[in-house]
Amino acid sequence: AEFGPRGAEEILGAVLTHHKPNDAADSCVTMILKDADRLAGLGPDTLIRTGQFFPGKPVFVPGYVGIVSPGTYKDPGSALDDIMYMLEWALGERWWERPREQLREYAQEHMWFRLPRAREMAWERAQFLLTYIDAVRADLASSGLEPWPL
């Protein structure tokens, strides 16, 4: 397909700015690219990619499974924290402080995704990652390590 100079310029602009926070001035192309990039980050392979990007980090920090240990999105305390931060895209900022039964309503208001199908897909992908986090907690609990004896 031919995009023409204006279309090519819009695509280039989207590629160069899709890493930035959402902006009301984002073009449709930019919104699509931002949503697609974030959806890719929420796929099941994120469990492996996180380990690749943070090979020096522990898998989790005892006492912080299901909540975030000290750190930031760019420098998480563990691989599990990286996943927790990525889930903010689908579930909203500091989603782990919300009761699970209120999470869907909170997510609908606070998720970063803007296009309807991307919002549905983000919620679905988040459920897989939440199940994984719950499984880690359950595994630790069966060994007497969750909650962590501080």
Side-chain angles (χ1 to χ4, degrees):
E2 295 256 346
F3 297 109
R6 187 174 182 158
E9 195 173 293
E10 185 176 5
I11 292 169
L12 178 61
V15 169
L16 294 175
T17 62
H18 81 280
H19 67 283
K20 294 181 178 181
N22 290 344
D23 187 312
D26 285 342
S27 71
C28 185
V29 173
T30 302
M31 285 193 287
I32 291 168
L33 186 54
K34 284 181 177 183
D35 281 1
D37 190 42
R38 291 173 185 151
L39 281 172
L42 290 174
D45 59 327
T46 199
L47 301 173
I48 296 167
R49 274 200 331 267
T50 293
Q52 289 178 305
F53 288 130
F54 298 105
K57 301 283 184 178
V59 173
F60 63 87
V61 175
Y64 290 96
V65 176
I67 59 173
V68 175
S69 67
T72 64
Y73 170 74
K74 291 188 177 192
D75 186 23
S78 69
L80 191 58
D81 286 355
D82 185 52
I83 294 166
M84 301 280 290
Y85 283 122
M86 284 188 287
L87 277 167
E88 285 188 318
W89 305 336
L91 303 177
E93 187 175 339
R94 302 184 66 81
W95 62 269
W96 52 88
E97 295 176 351
R98 308 282 170 202
R100 194 64 73 92
E101 61 273 4
Q102 296 173 9
L103 200 50
R104 181 151 196 152
E105 183 179 334
Y106 181 76
Q108 289 303 315
E109 190 175 326
H110 294 91
M111 71 169 45
W112 297 16
F113 294 87
R114 294 183 281 182
L115 302 173
R117 181 63 183 132
R119 292 174 66 84
E120 293 170 23
M121 292 174 69
W123 178 256
E124 292 164 6
R125 291 177 181 209
Q127 299 317 294
F128 170 80
L129 295 172
L130 288 172
T131 300
Y132 172 76
I133 292 166
D134 290 345
V136 170
R137 290 185 84 176
D139 185 57
L140 292 170
S142 72
S143 302
L145 297 174
E146 176 70 21
W148 182 252
L150 298 175

